[in-house]
DNA sequence: CGTTCGATTGAGCTTTCTCAAGCACAGTGG
DNA sequence: CCACTGTGCTTGAGAAAGCTCAATCGAACG
């Protein structure tokens, strides 16, 4: 029904997939759940997060159409996945997926490639969380989203934000209030414009890059 | 001469490996360098880090004997690797390694498994960096080191710290001063003892776990 | 319209950082 | 054998970034 990975020679896999729809706010699975399926996002947007026992939350990533969701250790989900907007996914039973992977060495390699990319992204996020200021975090966040949009849709200055301020805060290791304040500051400096609450226009990408990449003195 | 991965059926690979020695403080490679080799640590300890243009540093991980070092995107290193103590590694040319992997499907799977584990560790570190207090970060750090030591050497209360306070700080997203102060606090609470500057004894593992896992009110 | 919920703004506070001084230990040379 | 020196660690005091709590705003929806 739908494809799970981007590999061109995997079209045959489409026949094995089921479709699943999620309403905004609905969880796909929880941290600790047995990971007996693998997914590809086909529509919408999800957030992935981990919770501390007292409720503090860290969002470890956002998923958009085309993203693969199924890397797991010991067949157990390491995070919760929840729809931020009405979403559609394609899924396979994991054991069937494993069989399929066994039969297709290229797919194994593709899977590894995806994991390596996610690892590199996680390392960049560690730098952000450990060492960047609030302004730098927001700037990096927007540049990352922009790069992602432009990869599929070509050059643009508009970014859609399917996530709330709280989600952004929990992704960047800040509070929603700080996110609001930094957005206000970036607006007043004419670096961004808020077309709507959930839609940002990047007015000055160079200034944003300056702020985002830790070039020392502003 | 030495093995790169833990897979038992890969003993034959040992014949392909070269040995490399590093003095404490010596870099193995830098972020951005072409990644034309893969490594396994056989002795010593390394730190992996990324720098911001202005010099701020985030250590993304530490490597100990048995650890594999070679996951890369686009054959480029995403971080710098530097010896924290005199170290020994085993290495292969990456292209030869790739050929070998092609010929051994199990190895490909093992590689994926390693990447998945590292990704899970990176996600836990994001929670630490984004949401934990200084005390919680140190507690989690010690518990992680302890678990790692115990995995190979059985139950113990002693942890060796081959890294400096600055390294710990740059791993936990703190300053060396804060690390020192938190250590002093944990000492005065009789939760840990400093056998030497680079050697910690865990006196009260439960208290450490309480502090480390975000159980809210202390 | 009134309500609701997320976003924004404000004020004061806390944690952690910064800067600076002091300490301890290892290595060196008198 | 012991001062001397360098380096990393610790401790202190003040500053700052970001957090908390609280009030207000504003768009969406009945």
């Amino acid at each position: 029904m739908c494809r799970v990975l981007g590999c061109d020679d995997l079209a045959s896999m489409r026949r094995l997939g089921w479709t699943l729809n999620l309403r905004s706010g609905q969880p796909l699975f929880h941290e600790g759940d047995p990971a007996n399926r693998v997914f590809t996002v086909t529509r919408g947007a999800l957030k992935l997060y981990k919770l501390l026992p007292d409720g503090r939350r860290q969002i470890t990533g956002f998923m958009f159409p085309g993203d693969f969701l199924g890397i797991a250790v010991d067949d157990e989900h390491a995070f919760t996945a929840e729809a931020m907007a009405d979403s559609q996914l394609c899924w396979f039973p994991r054991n069937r997926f494993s069989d399929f992977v066994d039969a297709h060495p290229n797919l194994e390699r593709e899977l590894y490639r995806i994991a390596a990319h996610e690892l590199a992204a996680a390392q960049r996020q560690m730098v952000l969380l450990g060492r960047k200021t609030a302004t730098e975090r927001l700037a990096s966040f927007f540049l990352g989203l922009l790069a992602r949009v432009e990869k599929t849709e070509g050059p643009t200055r508009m970014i859609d934000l399917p996530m709330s301020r709280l989600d952004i805060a929990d992704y960047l290791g800040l509070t929603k209030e700080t996110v609001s304040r930094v957005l206000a500051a970036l607006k007043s400096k004419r670096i961004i414009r808020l077309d709507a609450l959930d839609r940002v226009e990047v007015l000055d990408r160079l200034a944003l890059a300056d702020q985002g990449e830790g070039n020392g003195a502003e």
Side-chain angles (χ1 to χ4, degrees), chain A residues 138-156:
Chain A
L138 263 298
S140 298
F141 175 60
F142 288 139
L143 290 170
L145 286 178
L146 204 54
R148 192 180 204 301
V149 173
E150 293 192 328
K151 201 174 60 184
T152 58
E153 302 180 15
T156 180

Side-chain angles (χ1 to χ4, degrees), chain A residues 63-89:
Chain A
M63 301 294 271
F64 299 104
D67 288 340
F68 174 75
L69 186 49
I71 297 170
V73 170
D74 299 332
D75 282 355
E76 186 173 301
H77 288 298
F79 46 77
T80 300
E82 186 181 314
M84 296 189 296
D86 293 352
S87 300
Q88 188 179 64
L89 298 99

Side-chain angles (χ1 to χ4, degrees), chain A residues 118-131:
Chain A
E118 290 210 16
L119 186 56
Q123 287 161 349
R124 284 193 299 274
Q125 191 71 356
M126 285 190 234
V127 177
L128 181 149
L129 292 169
R131 288 294 176 233

Side-chain angles (χ1 to χ4, degrees), chain A residues 4-216:
Chain A
V4 163
L5 291 167
C7 272
D8 283 340
D9 61 337
L10 293 175
S12 63
M13 190 152 185
R14 295 185 193 181
R15 279 180 278 115
L16 299 168
W18 283 264
T19 295
L20 182 155
N21 285 288
L22 285 179
R23 287 324 201 76
S24 180
Q26 226 179 329
L28 177 61
F29 52 74
H30 289 98
E31 180 175 355
D33 283 355
N36 41 33
R37 295 185 291 182
V38 300
F39 306 88
T40 298
V41 181
T42 49
R43 281 203 336 244
L46 309 233
K47 55 189 172 195
L48 315 180
Y49 61 83
K50 291 168 80 79
L51 293 172
L52 290 173
D54 66 358
R56 279 172 289 173
R57 184 178 71 153
Q58 179 65 42
I59 292 183
T60 58
F62 297 112
M63 301 294 271
F64 299 104
D67 288 340
F68 174 75
L69 186 49
I71 297 170
V73 170
D74 299 332
D75 282 355
E76 186 173 301
H77 288 298
F79 46 77
T80 300
E82 186 181 314
M84 296 189 296
D86 293 352
S87 300
Q88 188 179 64
L89 298 99
C90 164
W91 65 272
F92 299 89
R94 179 176 293 272
N95 47 17
R96 209 152 146 188
F97 181 71
S98 294
D99 294 346
F100 193 84
V101 169
D102 286 342
H104 298 259
N106 287 339
L107 217 167
E108 185 91 62
R109 170 141 307 188
E110 174 70 5
L111 219 48
Y112 167 73
R113 206 187 58 76
I114 292 171
H117 268 91
E118 290 210 16
L119 186 56
Q123 287 161 349
R124 284 193 299 274
Q125 191 71 356
M126 285 190 234
V127 177
L128 181 149
L129 292 169
R131 288 294 176 233
K132 290 190 182 177
T133 66
T135 304
E136 289 167 345
R137 292 179 199 206
L138 263 298
S140 298
F141 175 60
F142 288 139
L143 290 170
L145 286 178
L146 204 54
R148 192 180 204 301
V149 173
E150 293 192 328
K151 201 174 60 184
T152 58
E153 302 180 15
T156 180
R157 310 195 311 183
M158 302 304 304
I159 305 171
D160 280 306
L161 300 176
M163 66 291 284
S164 69
R165 296 295 186 266
L166 182 57
D167 287 338
I168 297 173
D170 283 349
Y171 180 59
L172 300 178
L174 301 169
T175 59
K176 59 192 196 304
E177 291 92 339
T178 298
V179 170
S180 256
R181 281 186 250 271
V182 171
L183 288 182
L186 291 175
K187 270 192 294 183
S188 79
K189 287 186 197 164
R190 314 278 166 191
I191 293 175
I192 62 167
R193 203 174 66 85
L194 286 189
D195 195 49
L197 273 182
D198 61 351
R199 196 169 161 77
V200 176
E201 181 179 3
V202 176
L203 300 175
D204 188 343
R205 187 191 289 237
L206 262 56
L208 207 57
D210 260 11
Q211 309 256 304
E213 300 314 319
N215 293 296

